[in-house]
Amino acid sequence: MTPAIGTTMQVLRGFLLLAWIAMLVTTVVNPSAVDDNAVPTTAVVVAVYALKFGWRRLTARLGVNRCYLCTDGVAVTNRFGRVRDSVAWSEVTGVQQTVIVGHVVAGHRIEIFRSSSAAPLWFVAPGAKSALVQALLQEGRRSGALQ
């Protein structure tokens, strides 16, 4: 999933929550509309948020879209849980970090450059203050790959 799709889904879930609150307000104003408004809308909201939290738990258990920081290097998995790319600290020539900050989402795009002619390893770490980014830079300095 790209950051743009993730952000769009987060915004849509927010609008869904606002629509649910509006339905509950209209139900309070007109109590006879409980069966028409509140019950189906509540079921949809519960289903969407249950899918979201269920997907998070499943992907965490399967190791999907993860970055593994090892003493020998870095490995990144794909959406099927298999290693997409990896790089050893001995091959690293530099790291470029781009911070993405918006009103709804924040993250870090990390590119790890290699001494060989291979394309750089890249991944996105969510959050404005990602612990993964700090740990990656500390491990890179400790191994001598970064200054």
Side-chain angles (χ1 to χ4, degrees), residues 29-123:
V29 171
N30 183 9
S32 65
V34 169
D35 293 335
D36 296 336
N37 291 341
V39 174
T41 308
T42 302
V44 169
V45 169
V46 167
V48 165
Y49 279 92
L51 283 172
K52 173 189 158 191
F53 291 118
W55 180 251
R56 279 186 179 177
R57 291 192 70 146
L58 179 67
T59 57
R61 182 173 292 236
L62 297 176
V64 174
N65 290 330
R66 298 282 178 193
C67 176
Y68 293 101
L69 184 58
C70 307
T71 56
D72 296 336
V74 179
V76 178
T77 61
N78 62 10
R79 64 184 66 159
F80 300 111
R82 296 191 175 139
V83 175
R84 173 177 58 106
D85 201 358
S86 64
V87 63
W89 287 119
S90 59
E91 297 178 12
V92 174
T93 58
V95 174
Q96 181 179 357
Q97 174 184 357
T98 306
V99 180
I100 306 159
V101 179
H103 293 291
V104 179
V105 70
H108 297 263
R109 178 182 163 89
I110 307 294
E111 289 185 73
I112 302 174
F113 298 101
R114 312 168 197 216
S115 57
S116 63
S117 62
L121 175 127
W122 67 271
F123 62 92

Side-chain angles (χ1 to χ4, degrees), residues 8-22:
T8 304
M9 290 175 62
Q10 185 177 5
V11 168
L12 289 176
R13 282 192 304 265
F15 283 139
L16 179 66
L17 197 58
L18 290 175
W20 179 62
I21 291 169

